[in-house]
Amino acid sequence: GVCAGNGSTCECDEFINVDGESYCKSDLEVLQMFIDNSSRFGSNQDHTLNLGLDDNGNNIIEPLELGHILWTDGRIEFWVCQNCGIMGEIPMEINNLSRLKNLDLSNNYLSGKIPDAFGDMINLDNIALQSNYFSSLSEGFTDYLEKTYQNNSGTYPNPLDFINTSLSGNTICEPLSRQAMEVFNLNLDDLHYVADQNCEPGIFILYPQGGVIRYTGDTSIPVEIIVMNYEIGKQGEGAF
């Protein structure tokens, strides 16, 4: 079920039976990638994931437990994973979720550049990535935003309002690229920023629920730390 990357809707090559239900293997693998990215401490029980998702009580978050997922004919169509505790970068393989129509990954610890793979997701109508730690937009994601804005232009007064709504509460502190300004037909003589970003230097320790280590009895487990908006190695005020 690997997509060709040309915008076509790929079908699933292999289905897996779980408790009498069939699920596309490649869809499950994408969910597992998000879990693996959130489990950097050497054990599937040492992670930043929200154990409130653990439906079967085995203290391990499995793909089918990762938020609210609506499956249709074994494919994911809607995925809401607010406050799931997922962290790291969004995997490029996200476009293997070729039937996905609605994606909400807000209020997590996702970081890095939002990948180009979104440009291939022709069925994805709605996306929410607010309140994470994303730092930049890829060209493919910018193209995706423009297409989605055109489909929802009656809802938003202008493209920047749509961008701000989709991406508020991140750490996208650099001005929009020239490519993004051209895509959204913005004035190239001005600098345009994503609004409501957390651009003050800071160190974020990634454990949910107020920093309480809830996952094992070992209080020596290291925590994941993101250092944002410091000029690494530069001397002077504001350096880290």
Side-chain angles (χ1 to χ4, degrees):
V2 178
C3 292
N6 58 6
S8 62
T9 300
C10 61
E11 297 304 320
C12 184
D13 293 332
E14 182 178 354
F15 286 87
I16 294 176
N17 187 282
V18 180
D19 296 329
E21 300 288 341
S22 292
Y23 301 95
C24 181
K25 180 181 179 183
S26 60
D27 285 19
L28 291 172
E29 287 173 344
V30 171
L31 297 176
Q32 186 63 52
M33 289 176 191
F34 278 90
I35 293 172
D36 292 343
N37 285 348
S38 308
S39 310
R40 297 184 174 179
F41 310 137
S43 165
N44 58 12
Q45 292 187 346
D46 299 341
H47 50 68
T48 59
L49 297 168
N50 182 355
L51 269 189
L53 303 171
D54 181 26
D55 292 335
N56 62 13
N58 67 352
N59 290 322
I60 298 173
I61 304 301
E62 299 166 0
L64 293 177
E65 298 175 320
L66 197 62
H68 175 71
I69 307 171
L70 176 63
W71 298 81
T72 301
D73 297 327
R75 305 300 309 276
I76 299 176
E77 285 199 352
F78 294 83
W79 182 23
V80 177
C81 200
Q82 296 179 357
N83 296 298
C84 287
I86 50 177
M87 65 169 288
E89 297 186 356
I90 292 179
M92 284 294 297
E93 291 84 356
I94 185 77
N95 63 355
N96 284 350
L97 304 181
S98 60
R99 298 284 186 87
L100 189 64
K101 297 179 179 178
N102 189 298
L103 176 65
D104 186 347
L105 302 179
S106 58
N107 295 285
N108 284 291
Y109 308 118
L110 297 167
S111 60
K113 178 181 285 191
I114 304 175
D116 282 304
F118 282 103
D120 299 327
M121 301 181 72
I122 60 174
N123 291 315
L124 185 59
D125 296 324
N126 295 289
I127 192 168
L129 299 176
Q130 301 93 329
S131 299
N132 280 283
Y133 297 90
F134 293 116
S135 56
S136 60
L137 315 179
S138 66
E139 292 189 4
F141 182 69
T142 301
D143 290 338
Y144 163 77
L145 281 180
E146 194 276 333
K147 294 174 186 176
T148 308
Y149 168 70
Q150 293 299 332
N151 293 334
N152 295 276
S153 58
T155 307
Y156 301 93
N158 56 68
L160 277 178
D161 188 69
F162 171 68
I163 295 171
N164 296 337
T165 300
S166 303
L167 297 170
S168 64
N170 280 283
T171 58
I172 305 168
C173 302
E174 296 296 318
L176 292 177
S177 67
R178 185 178 181 87
Q179 179 259 351
M181 291 193 290
E182 291 174 346
V183 163
F184 284 101
N185 198 28
L186 300 173
N187 188 339
L188 299 180
D189 294 328
D190 297 329
L191 294 179
H192 302 276
Y193 293 85
V194 183
D196 300 319
Q197 300 298 294
N198 299 313
C199 294
E200 291 299 318
I203 298 174
F204 303 93
I205 299 176
L206 300 188
Y207 265 107
Q209 306 300 323
V212 177
I213 297 176
R214 302 174 298 130
Y215 308 122
T216 74
D218 183 2
T219 57
S220 67
I221 295 171
V223 294
E224 185 74 14
I225 297 176
I226 290 184
V227 179
M228 302 301 301
N229 307 320
Y230 285 97
E231 297 183 72
I232 305 298
K234 182 177 179 180
Q235 299 296 319
E237 184 178 355
F240 176 73

